[in-house]
Amino acid sequence: MMPSTSSPCAAARFLLAIQIFSLPAFAQLSEVPLQVVIDAESTDYDGNAGMLQFTGLKLTQGDISIASDDARSTGLDFDNTTWQLTGNVVFDISGSHIESDSADLSFKDFELQVATIEGSPATFEYRRPGTEETTLASASRLHYNVAEGVIEFSGDASISEGGNRIVAESLVYSIRDRRVNAASSGAPDDRVKVTFTPPAAENEADAGTGNDATDDEPATGDTGERETERRDGGE
């Protein structure tokens, strides 16, 4: 049974126990256990429902950070637990940044397995390490398989990268393989739309400069005036 956190002292001891509890890193390749830190404005344990409740939650482990206004969890052992997050939900996971209204998280064997994310819309941003390439996507619902690095976007889904954009009812994006599969809803007027943006011309900045007069060459008008003066002098 989880300890009660009804008193300030008990709550402080309980949070301290959470902060020093080390677990294997979820969504990370390292086998070295990393510290899990839960920082919250307040916490409460409902023994009858077997639920932990947090206000102003921020959960971090390694390069993973998850925050929300409110959160409910079935436990803190991360062995087989679920979390429900609501209000200004923000994920930062290995270069990915997600903002949404709510999310359901599933943990198993001390790893974050799946995050089901909803928003109006929920937004996704990913910048590849060592590059300026950014992938932007949005949809009403995201199903994020964290271990596989695959996200399913559904409901007015769109994704763009390098000026190219795909819009569809649903998209499946592999972060590792940079592969996108798009599908329509099957309705007659629903189609997958792809927009390709051509790269800017390399010499665009120099366009139109070939006809400019140089400092060593007189303008055409000046040449005409000198020819007229020579003819007048010879008469």
Side-chain angles (χ1 to χ4, degrees), residues 7-51:
S7 69
C9 291
R13 290 194 299 269
F14 182 55
L15 287 177
L16 180 60
I18 296 171
Q19 291 177 350
I20 65 175
F21 187 62
S22 296
L23 298 172
F26 51 84
Q28 300 183 23
L29 299 178
S30 174
E31 297 180 357
V32 178
L34 297 178
Q35 186 182 62
V36 173
V37 177
I38 294 179
D39 186 7
E41 295 176 5
S42 63
T43 183
D44 181 62
Y45 176 67
D46 185 345
N48 293 327
M51 296 290 293

Side-chain angles (χ1 to χ4, degrees), residues 87-103:
N88 297 310
V89 181
V90 178
F91 293 82
D92 286 292
I93 303 177
S94 302
S96 300
H97 180 80
I98 300 173
E99 296 184 5
S100 66
D101 299 328
S102 63

Side-chain angles (χ1 to χ4, degrees), residues 201-212:
E202 293 181 2
N203 298 325
E204 183 177 355
D206 299 329
T209 61
N211 295 327
D212 291 347

Side-chain angles (χ1 to χ4, degrees), residues 63-87:
D63 61 356
I64 296 174
S65 175
I66 302 172
S68 67
D69 291 344
D70 297 288
R72 293 166 58 89
S73 171
T74 57
L76 283 171
D77 57 4
F78 295 96
D79 185 28
N80 188 14
T81 58
T82 59
W83 288 68
Q84 297 174 342
L85 313 181
T86 56

